[in-house]
Amino acid sequence: KKELSFKIYYSTFVLAILVIGLHSSFVGFLDPNLGGYSFSLTFHRVFLTIGDAAVPTFFVISGYLLFTRFMLKDYPKMLLKKVFSLVIPYFIWSVLGFLFIRIIFPLLNHESIELTFQSVSLDILLAKCCPHIWFVRTLMVFFIASPIL
């Protein structure tokens, strides 16, 4: 429906602004002499509190759009699409992050590298070297569990 499409479009704009604000460090620009209870600190805390709702709301909207016409018979085909759009990029970024954080940077800094199979596996599976892709892992879990939910 066109009316619902406009509501989603405008709400995602507001949510995008909140996500940007949530990940921005703008407090120092508002008040360089940031005191304990200054206006900018209060503004930043309020903005962060409201911004915390942005990512979960994106998940709710995405889930609504993805599963409004969900049919269990289409699940395998949808799962295969998600392998290419979520799983493969997740592992590529996780492996790249692992290589840079655990191997390349220590070598450049002349540090010793101590790795075990378990530590490498967990670093890559949980993307410990790329914490910024946590939401992709969350989307994968939600998508796999979607027939149950």
Side-chain angles (χ1 to χ4, degrees):
K1 295 180 181 179
K2 200 170 195 175
E3 182 180 323
L4 179 61
S5 177
F6 281 129
K7 287 179 183 178
I8 291 172
Y9 177 77
Y10 291 120
S11 65
T12 55
F13 172 77
V14 171
L15 294 170
I17 296 295
L18 290 174
V19 168
I20 291 168
L22 188 65
H23 292 91
S24 298
S25 183
F26 58 84
V27 178
F29 295 114
L30 295 174
D31 185 2
N33 302 315
L34 190 61
Y37 295 102
S38 70
F39 169 75
S40 57
L41 181 60
T42 304
F43 176 78
H44 186 66
R45 286 184 179 156
V46 169
F47 196 88
L48 286 179
T49 302
I50 294 169
D52 280 340
V55 174
T57 306
F58 268 124
F59 283 137
V60 169
I61 290 173
S62 298
Y64 173 76
L65 293 175
L66 184 62
F67 296 110
T68 52
R69 295 188 179 130
F70 178 75
M71 303 283 263
L72 195 54
K73 65 180 173 102
D74 296 333
Y75 181 70
K77 186 173 28 171
M78 292 170 61
L79 195 59
L80 186 62
K81 279 177 59 176
K82 293 302 172 189
V83 165
F84 290 104
S85 65
L86 292 176
V87 177
I88 293 173
Y90 176 84
F91 280 110
I92 289 172
W93 282 109
S94 184
V95 168
L96 288 174
F98 172 79
L99 290 173
F100 278 100
I101 300 297
R102 299 281 190 246
I103 296 178
I104 294 173
F105 290 150
L107 285 176
L108 292 174
N109 292 324
H110 306 291
E111 298 173 3
S112 64
I113 301 172
E114 295 180 24
L115 300 172
T116 64
F117 178 76
Q118 182 179 8
S119 70
V120 171
S121 300
L122 288 176
D123 277 358
I124 291 174
L125 288 175
L126 299 176
K128 288 185 176 184
C129 298
C130 292
H132 55 279
I133 60 173
W134 65 269
F135 68 94
V136 178
R137 184 175 55 245
T138 305
L139 283 174
M140 289 187 298
V141 170
F142 279 134
F143 190 81
I144 291 169
S146 61
I148 299 168
L149 301 175

